[in-house]
Amino acid sequence: MSRLLLNCDMGESFGSWTMGLDAQVMPFVDCANIACGFHAGDPGIMRKTVALAVASNVGIGAHPAYQDLAGFGRRSMACSAEEIRDLLHYQIGALDGICRTQGTRVAYVKPHGALYNDMMADPLKLRAVLEAVSSYGRDLPLMLMATADNSAAQALGDEYGVTLWFEAFADRGYDAAGHLLSRRLPGAVHHDPALIVDQALRLARGEPLIAVDGSELRLHAHTLCVHGDNESSVAAVQQIREALDSLVNS
């Protein structure tokens, strides 16, 4: 069975403001999506988070966003394709420079927040992101959302020669098309650790999830997003890690 990589958003503190329990969750994940200063993070936070990832042998991904520090990158912005390419190159390059000082490199790219959602909803924005990643380095995979049908996104990835890592979520509810439910809707976020671990295992086995309308939903994913912003979420990540390792080794 192929290993389902666990990824987690990290380095999202800023100055004296702390976000997340990065040091606690880092040992249990495979990939750290590190904020690059536009929605969160700053040079010192980036350096410290890279050091944590290196110490735990965790892959480092650039986590670029719209330039929206006040809104935590969750507000859509009317950026042109050229502006999207520029903001990605700026952020990937900043993190990659910090990585190089610690003997490592950025290994993949996962856009954050509104930029992530916008590129999944708008093929022109996805094309701009792919152009940016491809021109920075075709060896960098792009992480994006797995849906019921990944074919259109895969065709664009193939066009630009960029490897795509499709991502699923253990703690979120889905609609029948494989889109995440709005956080304003009931059942959008799972809080029961047993339910979260069960959904992670279903995804790892390639088994269907149950969408909000009761239909079966199959997601073909390479990576699973987990969260480590409080003690209970860190415990859930540890349980998922142990469950997935047991599954692969069985």
Side-chain angles (χ1 to χ4, degrees):
M1 178 177 294
S2 60
R3 183 183 179 90
L4 189 65
L5 300 176
L6 296 187
N7 79 81
C8 186
D9 299 347
M10 295 190 182
E12 293 184 321
S13 300
F14 182 77
S16 60
W17 180 73
T18 300
M19 171 71 175
L21 299 175
D22 293 357
Q24 294 182 40
V25 76
M26 190 71 79
F28 303 114
V29 300
D30 302 291
C31 307
N33 319 316
I34 300 180
C36 304
F38 272 31
H39 78 281
D42 56 41
I45 297 296
M46 292 162 71
R47 172 180 51 79
K48 292 173 185 176
T49 311
V50 167
L52 284 173
V54 170
S56 293
N57 196 31
V58 169
I60 294 169
H63 199 37
Y66 290 128
Q67 195 165 10
D68 180 29
L69 195 60
F72 199 66
R74 289 177 174 164
R75 298 179 293 188
S76 292
M77 294 188 169
C79 293
S80 67
E82 185 176 60
E83 288 170 330
I84 289 173
R85 290 194 297 269
D86 289 344
L87 67 84
L88 260 71
H89 288 160
Y90 186 95
Q91 292 175 83
I92 298 168
L95 182 62
D96 200 33
I98 290 173
C99 285
R100 291 182 66 176
T101 67
Q102 300 192 45
T104 188
R105 297 295 300 272
V106 166
Y108 65 94
V109 177
K110 177 189 172 180
H112 165 82
L115 178 57
Y116 183 96
N117 292 331
D118 288 352
M119 76 178 191
M120 294 306 304
D122 184 347
L124 293 178
K125 285 189 169 60
L126 178 55
R127 184 177 287 276
V129 170
L130 284 163
E131 288 175 351
V133 173
S134 176
S135 58
Y136 191 92
R138 287 197 174 189
D139 58 328
L140 292 179
L142 174 67
M143 197 177 290
L144 72 172
M145 191 182 301
T147 63
D149 183 0
N150 297 331
S151 60
Q154 186 62 62
L156 280 177
D158 292 343
E159 180 181 338
Y160 286 95
V162 174
T163 298
L164 302 183
W165 287 356
F166 288 101
E167 174 186 42
F169 295 78
D171 62 351
R172 294 296 303 275
Y174 286 90
D175 67 17
H179 300 135
L180 296 178
L181 296 180
S182 167
R183 290 179 180 270
R184 296 187 294 271
L185 296 176
V189 180
H190 305 324
H191 299 287
D192 181 353
L195 179 60
I196 294 170
V197 173
D198 177 70
Q199 183 154 311
L201 287 174
R202 285 179 174 273
L203 290 162
R205 296 188 187 108
E207 297 174 353
L209 306 181
I210 303 302
V212 68
D213 66 352
S215 64
E216 289 193 347
L217 170 67
R218 290 188 182 272
L219 297 176
H220 299 285
H222 305 97
T223 183
L224 185 71
C225 184
V226 294
H227 298 97
D229 50 3
N230 58 67
E231 294 290 348
S232 62
S233 64
V234 174
V237 173
Q238 184 175 1
Q239 291 177 49
I240 291 171
R241 170 85 286 151
E242 292 170 352
L244 293 183
D245 287 348
S246 297
L247 186 64
V248 171
N249 295 327
S250 62

